[in-house]
Amino acid sequence: EAGVAQSPRYKIIEKRQSVAFWCNPISGHATLYWYQQILGQGPKLLIQFQNNGVVDDSQLPKDRFSAERLKGVDSTLKIQPAKLEDSAVYLCASSLAGVNTQYFGPGTRLTVL
Amino acid sequence: GENVEQHPSTLSVQEGDSAVIKCTYSDSASNYFPWYKQELGKRPQLIIDIRSNVGEKKDQRIAVTLNKTAKHFSLHITETQPEDSAVYFCAASDNNAGNMLTFGGGTRLMVKP
């Protein structure tokens, strides 16, 4: 079974630039999560989708972050404009609907200079 | 919201010794408690989980215990091996509220050969 795919794996940008990350969940997984993992910390949930609807985005900084999952499969997370404190690994995870177990992708390491 | 505290932040053991990592949570509604292992630069991988209707679960050298009254749970690794060296994260969620995971801060385990 193919795992969660993410791209790009690494991204370096200047502050105030824009960046987008892509995630392809495990086939059949209706629930998709985006997490932010700052160096030395545990992952922090940014947004959760069930199919193409948002379940929770209470920790998403909506003034600069946006996410979508238009067809209920792939998802993109965008930051515009980026700040220095956005430097982190952005992890995507997926799970079957109503099932606890989440499977993580390899992450995108973002460096904002 | 849920808050998960994890201790210790670093743990160094001799190969063959046991390692114990402890977590406490704040939300009494939480009912699912997974543990993830994250090697340097890699994705978090689920190693064991426990639900609130169970007090203990074992899988070979790994065990997890849960005390719902005290709101704490622990990971036990016996006969540690150098390949157990990684960062371990505990997490908690309420699967009646969307399965969103709240992670602890992580424990860096170093197993010395």
Side-chain angles (χ1 to χ4, degrees), chain A residues 4 33 35 37 40-43 45 48 56 98-102 104-106, chain B residues 32 36 38 41 43-44 46 49 51 89 93 95 98-101 103-105:
Chain A
V4 177
Y33 313 80
Y35 290 86
Q37 186 175 24
Q41 298 181 19
L45 181 71
Q48 177 186 351
D56 187 281
V99 175
N100 295 112
T101 307
Q102 296 184 25
F104 283 83
Chain B
Y32 174 67
Y36 284 85
Q38 188 174 32
R43 72 188 76 193
L46 179 70
D49 57 15
R51 287 171 171 77
F89 292 98
S93 77
N95 62 7
N99 295 332
M100 292 165 288
L101 290 175
F103 282 84

Side-chain angles (χ1 to χ4, degrees), chain A:
Chain A
E1 169 181 277
V4 177
Q6 290 188 247
S7 68
R9 292 296 313 279
Y10 306 92
K11 191 73 177 179
I12 300 174
I13 61 172
E14 300 278 338
K15 61 183 178 183
R16 290 187 290 273
Q17 286 187 324
S18 301
V19 65
F21 313 127
W22 173 82
C23 172
N24 180 243
I26 293 172
S27 178
H29 282 197
T31 311
L32 185 147
Y33 313 80
W34 282 102
Y35 290 86
Q36 179 192 59
Q37 186 175 24
I38 293 172
L39 186 65
Q41 298 181 19
K44 183 184 84 170
L45 181 71
L46 294 175
I47 188 167
Q48 177 186 351
F49 291 95
Q50 179 79 11
N51 297 309
N52 60 350
V54 175
V55 174
D56 187 281
D57 62 357
S58 58
Q59 297 191 92
L60 188 73
K62 299 181 187 62
D63 58 334
R64 297 184 302 106
F65 286 63
S66 64
E68 61 183 14
R69 194 183 184 200
L70 292 176
K71 296 183 180 179
V73 181
D74 294 3
S75 177
T76 56
L77 176 69
K78 297 179 181 177
I79 308 175
Q80 181 180 8
K83 292 185 175 181
L84 296 176
E85 58 262 36
D86 297 332
S87 293
V89 175
Y90 290 85
L91 293 162
C92 179
S94 70
S95 68
L96 290 167
V99 175
N100 295 112
T101 307
Q102 296 184 25
Y103 298 89
F104 283 83
T108 297
R109 181 176 298 277
L110 173 67
T111 302
V112 182
L113 302 175

